[in-house]
Amino acid sequence: MGTPQIAADVLKKLLDRFTGPDREITKEPFELAAVVTQPDKPVGRRQVLTPSPVKTLALQYGYPVLQPKRIKRPIPTQKLKDLKPDLILVTAYGQILSEEILEIPRLGCINVHTSLLPALRGAAPIQWSIVRGMKETGVTLMYMDKGMDTGDIIVQQSVPITKEDTASSLTAKLTRSGALLLSDLTADLLNGKTLPRRRQDPSLATMAPIIQKEDGEIDWDKDAFAADCKVRGFEGWPGAYTYLDGAKLTILESLPVKTQEQGPYKAGDILQEYLEGKHPQLVIKCSQGALKIVRLQLQGKKPMAADAFLRGVRSLPDHVTHS
């Protein structure tokens, strides 16, 4: 069960390892009964119905695909029962499984979660790990239960977060780690091994909720590192943004810089001295330090380098504003 590209990458790792002429030989054969993914969704201005990356991959390999609108309803649940799966593997499926579904496979439902649980339970652990300035995250394989990412942990692997990591680069790292862990776990099960399990400590739990559009607005009263984390963590959607003369300014790439803390500027001010000379730079003051804007997109315009943007404007206000 899965939907986005990260789930497709995990599925491909399983198929490459356990199917085809060079497949790994295990005591029990690997048989994929079906792939379950979200329904096709309209994409783009023309709203063309588009399959998920998981569906596209499954069809390439010739596997049956189920796309229920609501997995917990009686008909989809019965279809899963009819398949009689030994195991259900889940990666970013996008729907909550009922207790009835969780009880179908004799070996349980195992989920790939992209954090070191119980930290960052919820829908967006990758983005929030960057936005919150964490130095480390990871992947957890867990038995699913009726709670939100509260099941027993099977295995975890930590992954460092660098100051250059964006949501996409960290997703790639975690995908590689998760795919390898899940394929190793599957091999252990197929070879008759018993998996370990340990309970989560709920007192250590933190949340990674669904990202809202307004989460992307930069708070210039925080330091420059926090602003840059938001730019990198909310890459793509919702984007990190502020307002310039009433127009939304999305910051696509940035760099924290040090400034003289004693001076005439306050948080949100555009530092005028950086605008001078042949190579102007757009630098905005934060509570500590400042944020240099490298690439940006002004509302209604195409993405561009900040220096190109500065060469095309006659004047700038003294500061950016909130919504």
Side-chain angles (χ1 to χ4, degrees):
M1 291 183 176
T3 299
Q5 188 60 50
I6 183 174
D9 292 342
V10 170
L11 175 59
K12 189 174 188 307
K13 177 67 176 178
L14 288 170
L15 296 176
D16 287 346
R17 183 165 178 174
F18 298 112
T19 67
D22 299 323
R23 65 184 181 276
E24 181 174 334
I25 303 302
T26 53
K27 290 182 179 179
E28 295 291 335
F30 176 92
E31 180 184 354
L32 184 60
V35 171
V36 184
T37 190
Q38 293 276 51
D40 296 1
K41 292 186 177 181
V43 174
R45 292 183 178 180
R46 297 185 179 181
Q47 295 290 280
V48 177
L49 278 180
T50 304
S52 72
V54 165
K55 178 181 178 180
T56 300
L57 180 67
L59 293 180
Q60 288 175 357
Y61 279 79
Y63 288 103
V65 176
L66 305 179
Q67 295 180 274
K69 290 184 178 180
R70 296 289 183 271
I71 188 69
K72 294 191 288 186
R73 288 181 177 173
I75 292 178
T77 298
Q78 186 59 50
K79 286 184 177 180
L80 291 177
K81 289 181 177 180
D82 293 343
L83 291 172
K84 298 180 180 179
D86 297 299
L87 177 69
I88 294 178
L89 302 176
V90 184
T91 304
Y93 171 47
Q95 294 191 43
I96 295 174
L97 306 187
S98 66
E99 289 187 66
E100 187 176 4
I101 291 174
L102 293 176
E103 292 172 355
I104 292 174
R106 65 180 181 84
L107 296 175
C109 297
I110 293 176
N111 182 50
V112 180
H113 187 76
T114 48
S115 80
L116 296 174
L117 291 171
L120 299 175
R121 293 174 175 172
I126 297 175
Q127 293 89 335
W128 286 114
S129 68
I130 297 175
V131 171
R132 292 173 185 170
M134 297 171 61
K135 295 181 179 179
E136 181 183 63
T137 186
V139 174
T140 300
L141 301 191
M142 52 164 280
Y143 286 105
M144 299 178 70
D145 62 15
K146 63 181 180 179
M148 174 66 75
D149 301 324
T150 56
D152 290 351
I153 294 169
I154 302 169
V155 64
Q156 294 181 306
Q157 185 172 80
S158 63
V159 173
I161 303 174
T162 71
K163 293 181 179 180
E164 293 77 33
D165 267 324
T166 63
S168 59
S169 69
L170 186 56
T171 296
K173 292 180 183 180
L174 293 170
T175 299
R176 289 192 294 270
S177 178
L180 182 59
L181 281 180
L182 190 62
S183 66
D184 286 346
L185 175 149
T186 303
D188 287 344
L189 286 173
L190 292 172
N191 285 314
K193 294 183 179 179
T194 300
L195 301 181
R197 60 191 305 161
R198 61 182 173 87
R199 292 183 179 275
Q200 296 187 39
D201 183 347
S203 68
L204 301 177
T206 58
M207 300 305 297
I210 294 173
I211 300 167
Q212 306 297 328
K213 185 177 180 180
E214 55 269 23
D215 290 330
E217 185 167 6
I218 292 178
D219 183 357
W220 299 105
D221 289 324
K222 294 185 177 180
D223 61 35
F225 176 68
D228 183 60
C229 286
K230 184 164 282 194
V231 172
R232 293 182 289 110
F234 288 155
E235 170 201 39
W237 196 91
Y241 62 89
T242 189
Y243 290 88
L244 189 66
D245 273 342
K248 184 178 180 181
L249 180 73
T250 301
I251 301 170
L252 305 175
E253 186 179 348
S254 61
L255 184 67
V257 294
K258 294 181 179 179
T259 61
Q260 294 290 336
E261 297 305 325
Q262 301 297 326
Y265 295 112
K266 62 180 184 299
D269 282 352
I270 296 174
L271 303 189
Q272 299 297 314
E273 60 262 31
Y274 286 91
L275 300 175
E276 301 172 356
K278 294 183 179 180
H279 303 287
Q281 299 178 35
L282 182 56
V283 181
I284 302 174
K285 185 72 175 70
C286 302
S287 64
Q288 294 182 31
L291 193 69
K292 175 184 174 182
I293 313 305
V294 179
R295 292 182 66 249
L296 56 81
Q297 184 174 12
L298 191 63
Q299 186 175 344
K301 305 292 184 181
K302 295 181 179 180
M304 65 178 67
D307 56 354
F309 166 76
L310 291 174
R311 288 194 296 268
V313 295
R314 294 182 179 179
S315 63
L316 285 175
D318 293 331
H319 56 269
V320 295
T321 59
H322 295 286
S323 56

